[in-house]
Amino acid sequence: MKNNNLLEIRNLSVSYGAIRALKGISMDVPTGKIVVVLGANGAGKTTMMRTLSGVVQASTSGEILYKGQNIKSKEAHRIARMGISQSPEGRYILAGLTTEENLKVGGVSVRGKAALNASFAEVYSLFPILEERKNQQATTLSGGEQQMLAIGRALMMKPQLLLLDEPSLGLAPLIIKSIFEAVKKISASGVTVLMVEQNARQSLLIADYAYVLELGNVKSEGSADELLADEELVSAYLGKKK
Ligand code: ATP
Protein backbone atom coordinates (compact mmCIF):
# COMPACT_ATOMS: atom_id res chain seq x y z
CA MET A 1 0.00 0.00 0.00
CA LYS A 2 1.36 3.39 -0.99
CA ASN A 3 -0.79 5.17 1.57
CA ASN A 4 -2.84 4.28 4.62
CA ASN A 5 -5.98 3.30 2.70
CA LEU A 6 -7.13 -0.28 3.10
CA LEU A 7 -9.69 0.29 0.36
CA GLU A 8 -9.80 2.76 -2.52
CA ILE A 9 -12.72 3.01 -4.89
CA ARG A 10 -11.77 4.75 -8.13
CA ASN A 11 -14.29 6.01 -10.65
CA LEU A 12 -16.59 3.03 -10.07
CA SER A 13 -19.63 2.74 -12.32
CA VAL A 14 -22.21 -0.03 -12.09
CA SER A 15 -25.12 -0.50 -14.50
CA TYR A 16 -28.04 -2.89 -14.53
CA GLY A 17 -28.72 -2.81 -18.28
CA ALA A 18 -29.78 0.75 -19.04
CA ILE A 19 -29.99 1.69 -15.34
CA ARG A 20 -26.82 3.36 -14.06
CA ALA A 21 -26.85 2.74 -10.30
CA LEU A 22 -23.33 4.13 -9.68
CA LYS A 23 -21.91 6.84 -11.94
CA GLY A 24 -18.19 6.96 -11.33
CA ILE A 25 -17.78 7.18 -7.55
CA SER A 26 -14.45 7.47 -5.73
CA MET A 27 -13.91 6.86 -2.01
CA ASP A 28 -11.07 6.12 0.42
CA VAL A 29 -11.34 3.87 3.45
CA PRO A 30 -8.28 4.33 5.68
CA THR A 31 -7.02 1.38 7.73
CA GLY A 32 -8.57 1.24 11.20
CA LYS A 33 -11.24 3.88 10.55
CA ILE A 34 -15.03 3.85 10.35
CA VAL A 35 -16.32 5.32 7.09
CA VAL A 36 -20.05 5.83 6.63
CA VAL A 37 -21.89 6.26 3.33
CA LEU A 38 -25.17 8.11 3.71
CA GLY A 39 -27.89 8.16 1.13
CA ALA A 40 -31.62 7.90 0.60
CA ASN A 41 -33.39 4.89 -0.89
CA GLY A 42 -32.15 4.20 -4.40
CA ALA A 43 -28.92 6.20 -3.99
CA GLY A 44 -26.87 3.12 -4.90
CA LYS A 45 -25.64 2.09 -1.44
CA THR A 46 -26.52 -1.59 -1.66
CA THR A 47 -25.19 -1.76 -5.20
CA MET A 48 -21.89 -0.37 -3.94
CA MET A 49 -21.65 -2.92 -1.11
CA ARG A 50 -22.59 -5.84 -3.35
CA THR A 51 -20.02 -4.72 -5.92
CA LEU A 52 -17.32 -4.57 -3.24
CA SER A 53 -18.08 -8.08 -2.01
CA GLY A 54 -18.28 -9.49 -5.54
CA VAL A 55 -21.91 -10.58 -5.58
CA VAL A 56 -23.45 -7.95 -7.86
CA GLN A 57 -24.81 -9.13 -11.22
CA ALA A 58 -24.21 -6.02 -13.31
CA SER A 59 -21.65 -4.44 -15.62
CA THR A 60 -18.94 -2.50 -13.86
CA SER A 61 -16.06 -0.19 -14.69
CA GLY A 62 -13.41 1.56 -12.61
CA GLU A 63 -11.20 0.13 -9.88
CA ILE A 64 -11.63 -1.26 -6.38
CA LEU A 65 -8.19 -1.35 -4.78
CA TYR A 66 -7.87 -3.45 -1.62
CA LYS A 67 -4.37 -3.27 -0.14
CA GLY A 68 -3.39 -1.78 -3.48
CA GLN A 69 -4.70 -4.72 -5.53
CA ASN A 70 -7.64 -4.37 -7.91
CA ILE A 71 -10.36 -6.75 -6.71
CA LYS A 72 -13.12 -5.52 -9.00
CA SER A 73 -14.82 -8.51 -10.65
CA LYS A 74 -13.01 -11.05 -8.48
CA GLU A 75 -15.20 -13.92 -7.29
CA ALA A 76 -16.96 -13.41 -3.96
CA HIS A 77 -15.20 -16.30 -2.20
CA ARG A 78 -11.77 -14.93 -3.20
CA ILE A 79 -12.69 -11.48 -1.90
CA ALA A 80 -13.88 -13.05 1.36
CA ARG A 81 -10.65 -15.00 1.67
CA MET A 82 -8.68 -11.78 1.30
CA GLY A 83 -10.33 -10.51 4.49
CA ILE A 84 -13.46 -8.65 3.39
CA SER A 85 -16.69 -9.69 5.07
CA GLN A 86 -20.18 -8.34 4.49
CA SER A 87 -23.20 -8.16 6.76
CA PRO A 88 -25.93 -7.70 4.16
CA GLU A 89 -29.05 -5.54 4.26
CA GLY A 90 -32.01 -7.60 5.42
CA ARG A 91 -29.75 -9.75 7.62
CA TYR A 92 -30.20 -13.05 5.72
CA ILE A 93 -30.57 -15.21 8.79
CA LEU A 94 -30.63 -18.86 7.77
CA ALA A 95 -33.96 -20.45 8.65
CA GLY A 96 -33.96 -23.89 10.26
CA LEU A 97 -30.64 -23.20 12.00
CA THR A 98 -29.94 -22.07 15.54
CA THR A 99 -28.02 -18.93 16.45
CA GLU A 100 -24.83 -20.93 16.93
CA GLU A 101 -25.27 -22.84 13.67
CA ASN A 102 -25.71 -19.53 11.82
CA LEU A 103 -22.44 -18.30 13.31
CA LYS A 104 -20.75 -21.52 12.30
CA VAL A 105 -21.72 -20.87 8.67
CA GLY A 106 -19.88 -17.53 8.91
CA GLY A 107 -16.83 -19.33 10.24
CA VAL A 108 -16.83 -22.07 7.62
CA SER A 109 -13.47 -21.03 6.21
CA VAL A 110 -11.84 -20.77 9.65
CA ARG A 111 -9.24 -23.53 9.94
CA GLY A 112 -8.88 -25.47 13.19
CA LYS A 113 -11.04 -25.88 16.27
CA ALA A 114 -9.01 -23.48 18.39
CA ALA A 115 -9.40 -20.67 15.85
CA LEU A 116 -13.12 -21.39 15.50
CA ASN A 117 -13.57 -21.31 19.28
CA ALA A 118 -11.67 -18.03 19.44
CA SER A 119 -14.08 -16.56 16.85
CA PHE A 120 -17.09 -17.75 18.86
CA ALA A 121 -15.62 -16.29 22.05
CA GLU A 122 -15.04 -12.93 20.36
CA VAL A 123 -18.56 -12.72 18.96
CA TYR A 124 -20.12 -13.80 22.27
CA SER A 125 -18.11 -11.25 24.22
CA LEU A 126 -19.29 -8.52 21.83
CA PHE A 127 -22.92 -9.72 21.89
CA PRO A 128 -23.53 -11.71 25.12
CA ILE A 129 -27.21 -12.10 24.23
CA LEU A 130 -26.21 -14.33 21.31
CA GLU A 131 -24.54 -16.77 23.69
CA GLU A 132 -27.67 -16.82 25.85
CA ARG A 133 -29.69 -17.54 22.72
CA LYS A 134 -27.22 -19.89 21.06
CA ASN A 135 -29.56 -22.88 20.89
CA GLN A 136 -32.59 -20.84 19.81
CA GLN A 137 -33.90 -21.02 16.26
CA ALA A 138 -32.40 -17.91 14.68
CA THR A 139 -35.61 -16.82 12.94
CA THR A 140 -37.28 -16.47 16.36
CA LEU A 141 -34.70 -13.90 17.54
CA SER A 142 -35.84 -10.29 17.87
CA GLY A 143 -34.94 -7.83 15.08
CA GLY A 144 -32.07 -6.41 17.10
CA GLU A 145 -30.74 -9.87 17.98
CA GLN A 146 -30.92 -10.89 14.32
CA GLN A 147 -28.90 -7.80 13.38
CA MET A 148 -26.32 -8.74 16.01
CA LEU A 149 -26.25 -12.26 14.58
CA ALA A 150 -25.72 -10.97 11.04
CA ILE A 151 -22.80 -8.82 12.20
CA GLY A 152 -21.46 -11.63 14.39
CA ARG A 153 -21.59 -14.03 11.46
CA ALA A 154 -19.57 -11.61 9.34
CA LEU A 155 -17.00 -11.37 12.14
CA MET A 156 -16.53 -15.13 12.49
CA MET A 157 -13.89 -15.22 9.76
CA LYS A 158 -11.90 -12.43 11.43
CA PRO A 159 -12.11 -9.91 8.58
CA GLN A 160 -9.81 -6.95 8.13
CA LEU A 161 -12.57 -5.00 6.40
CA LEU A 162 -16.18 -5.27 7.58
CA LEU A 163 -18.93 -4.07 5.21
CA LEU A 164 -22.19 -3.23 6.99
CA ASP A 165 -25.31 -2.56 4.94
CA GLU A 166 -27.84 -0.51 6.94
CA PRO A 167 -27.34 -2.15 10.34
CA SER A 168 -29.93 0.16 11.95
CA LEU A 169 -32.72 -0.63 9.47
CA GLY A 170 -36.07 -1.22 11.15
CA LEU A 171 -34.73 -1.16 14.71
CA ALA A 172 -35.87 0.83 17.75
CA PRO A 173 -33.67 3.77 18.87
CA LEU A 174 -32.24 2.03 21.94
CA ILE A 175 -31.28 -1.05 19.95
CA ILE A 176 -29.73 1.15 17.25
CA LYS A 177 -27.59 2.74 19.92
CA SER A 178 -26.29 -0.62 21.12
CA ILE A 179 -25.60 -1.80 17.56
CA PHE A 180 -23.55 1.34 16.86
CA GLU A 181 -21.71 0.93 20.17
CA ALA A 182 -20.81 -2.60 19.08
CA VAL A 183 -19.56 -1.25 15.73
CA LYS A 184 -17.32 1.12 17.64
CA LYS A 185 -15.91 -1.78 19.68
CA ILE A 186 -15.34 -3.79 16.50
CA SER A 187 -13.38 -0.86 15.10
CA ALA A 188 -11.39 -0.51 18.34
CA SER A 189 -10.42 -4.18 18.02
CA GLY A 190 -8.61 -3.31 14.77
CA VAL A 191 -11.23 -4.02 12.09
CA THR A 192 -11.74 -1.34 9.43
CA VAL A 193 -15.43 -0.60 8.88
CA LEU A 194 -17.31 0.65 5.82
CA MET A 195 -20.99 1.12 6.63
CA VAL A 196 -23.90 2.39 4.59
CA GLU A 197 -26.72 4.01 6.53
CA GLN A 198 -29.81 6.17 6.30
CA ASN A 199 -29.56 7.14 9.96
CA ALA A 200 -27.20 10.10 9.60
CA ARG A 201 -27.00 11.42 13.12
CA GLN A 202 -26.20 8.23 14.99
CA SER A 203 -23.88 6.77 12.38
CA LEU A 204 -21.92 10.04 12.13
CA LEU A 205 -21.48 10.00 15.90
CA ILE A 206 -19.31 6.88 15.64
CA ALA A 207 -17.76 7.47 12.19
CA ASP A 208 -14.48 9.14 11.29
CA TYR A 209 -15.35 10.15 7.73
CA ALA A 210 -18.48 10.19 5.61
CA TYR A 211 -19.65 10.30 2.02
CA VAL A 212 -23.12 11.24 0.84
CA LEU A 213 -24.41 9.32 -2.18
CA GLU A 214 -27.20 10.75 -4.28
CA LEU A 215 -28.54 9.05 -7.39
CA GLY A 216 -25.29 7.21 -7.99
CA ASN A 217 -22.93 10.14 -7.41
CA VAL A 218 -20.89 11.30 -4.42
CA LYS A 219 -22.71 14.52 -3.55
CA SER A 220 -20.51 15.54 -0.63
CA GLU A 221 -17.90 14.23 1.76
CA GLY A 222 -16.08 15.27 4.88
CA SER A 223 -15.07 14.33 8.39
CA ALA A 224 -17.95 13.00 10.47
CA ASP A 225 -17.75 16.15 12.62
CA GLU A 226 -18.04 18.41 9.58
CA LEU A 227 -21.09 16.57 8.30
CA LEU A 228 -22.72 16.42 11.75
CA ALA A 229 -22.48 20.19 11.92
CA ASP A 230 -24.49 20.41 8.68
CA GLU A 231 -28.02 20.54 10.12
CA GLU A 232 -29.67 20.46 6.71
CA LEU A 233 -27.85 17.30 5.72
CA VAL A 234 -28.46 15.53 9.01
CA SER A 235 -32.18 16.27 9.00
CA ALA A 236 -32.44 15.19 5.35
CA TYR A 237 -31.22 11.72 6.34
CA LEU A 238 -33.43 10.74 9.28
CA GLY A 239 -31.28 12.61 11.73
CA LYS A 240 -33.68 12.96 14.61
CA LYS A 241 -32.23 14.55 17.71
CA LYS A 242 -32.13 12.22 20.73
P1 ATP B 1 -32.09 1.15 -0.58
O1 ATP B 1 -31.70 1.88 0.63
O2 ATP B 1 -33.53 1.36 -0.97
O3 ATP B 1 -31.69 -0.30 -0.60
P2 ATP B 1 -29.82 1.83 -2.19
O4 ATP B 1 -29.19 3.15 -1.98
O5 ATP B 1 -29.17 0.66 -1.54
O6 ATP B 1 -31.33 1.88 -1.80
P3 ATP B 1 -29.64 0.31 -4.64
O7 ATP B 1 -30.43 -0.83 -4.08
O8 ATP B 1 -28.20 0.13 -4.83
O9 ATP B 1 -29.88 1.62 -3.75
O10 ATP B 1 -30.32 0.75 -6.02
C1 ATP B 1 -29.79 1.78 -6.87
C2 ATP B 1 -30.56 1.80 -8.18
O11 ATP B 1 -30.31 0.60 -8.93
C3 ATP B 1 -32.07 1.86 -7.98
O12 ATP B 1 -32.59 2.72 -8.99
C4 ATP B 1 -32.53 0.44 -8.19
O13 ATP B 1 -33.84 0.37 -8.71
C5 ATP B 1 -31.53 -0.08 -9.20
N1 ATP B 1 -31.29 -1.54 -9.04
C6 ATP B 1 -30.81 -2.17 -7.94
N2 ATP B 1 -30.69 -3.49 -8.14
C7 ATP B 1 -31.11 -3.73 -9.41
C8 ATP B 1 -31.25 -4.90 -10.24
N3 ATP B 1 -30.88 -6.10 -9.80
N4 ATP B 1 -31.72 -4.73 -11.48
C9 ATP B 1 -32.08 -3.52 -11.96
N5 ATP B 1 -31.97 -2.37 -11.23
C10 ATP B 1 -31.51 -2.46 -10.00
Side-chain angles (χ1 to χ4, degrees):
M1 273 182 289
K2 287 196 292 285
N3 50 36
N4 199 29
N5 292 328
L6 186 60
L7 187 78
E8 293 177 18
I9 300 172
R10 293 285 169 264
N11 205 18
L12 181 67
S13 294
V14 179
S15 302
Y16 303 99
I19 299 167
R20 291 186 72 204
L22 294 177
K23 302 168 185 164
I25 62 166
S26 294
M27 293 182 187
D28 291 339
V29 182
T31 303
K33 302 290 185 194
I34 300 177
V35 174
V36 65
V37 178
L38 301 170
N41 289 112
K45 306 183 300 299
T46 296
T47 297
M48 184 186 97
M49 293 307 232
R50 291 174 56 80
T51 306
L52 296 179
S53 56
V55 295
V56 81
Q57 303 275 342
S59 62
T60 59
S61 66
E63 283 184 327
I64 301 169
L65 301 171
Y66 175 68
K67 297 182 183 173
Q69 192 185 339
N70 192 3
I71 59 162
K72 189 182 75 67
S73 307
K74 268 195 192 303
E75 293 158 294
H77 68 96
R78 285 187 202 284
I79 293 172
R81 218 178 297 143
M82 291 173 85
I84 301 179
S85 190
Q86 181 174 6
S87 177
E89 185 184 349
R91 300 169 204 146
Y92 293 100
I93 297 306
L94 300 170
L97 298 184
T98 64
T99 299
E100 188 145 286
E101 287 163 348
N102 264 272
L103 289 177
K104 220 170 183 172
V105 171
V108 72
S109 62
V110 176
R111 294 275 164 259
K113 201 159 172 49
L116 190 62
N117 285 340
S119 284
F120 271 118
E122 223 164 275
V123 171
Y124 287 152
S125 95
L126 187 65
F127 300 120
I129 190 77
L130 293 183
E131 187 163 25
E132 283 174 39
R133 303 275 192 266
K134 68 180 180 185
N135 296 317
Q136 188 170 322
Q137 283 298 311
T139 46
T140 66
L141 295 171
S142 72
E145 290 161 357
Q146 289 194 22
Q147 184 60 66
M148 292 173 196
L149 178 55
I151 297 172
R153 194 174 53 193
L155 289 174
M156 284 296 288
M157 59 166 236
K158 290 190 165 293
Q160 287 165 272
L161 176 63
L162 178 65
L163 306 176
L164 294 173
D165 194 349
E166 297 207 36
S168 80
L169 192 70
L171 301 179
L174 261 184
I175 313 282
I176 293 176
K177 216 170 166 197
S178 73
I179 294 283
F180 283 153
E181 273 164 17
V183 173
K184 209 153 184 201
K185 280 191 199 158
I186 292 166
S187 164
S189 77
V191 180
T192 304
V193 178
L194 176 61
M195 171 168 78
V196 304
E197 259 301 331
Q198 295 200 41
N199 188 326
R201 187 176 298 277
Q202 276 176 296
S203 58
L204 287 172
L205 283 173
I206 63 156
D208 296 292
Y209 200 83
Y211 293 88
V212 180
L213 262 191
E214 198 177 270
L215 297 173
N217 292 300
V218 173
K219 188 189 162 213
S220 54
E221 65 176 280
S223 72
D225 290 343
E226 278 166 3
L227 268 67
L228 258 179
D230 183 342
E231 280 296 328
E232 206 174 307
L233 176 127
V234 171
S235 59
Y237 296 101
L238 284 182
K240 289 184 209 105
K241 275 203 167 126
K242 283 170 290 168

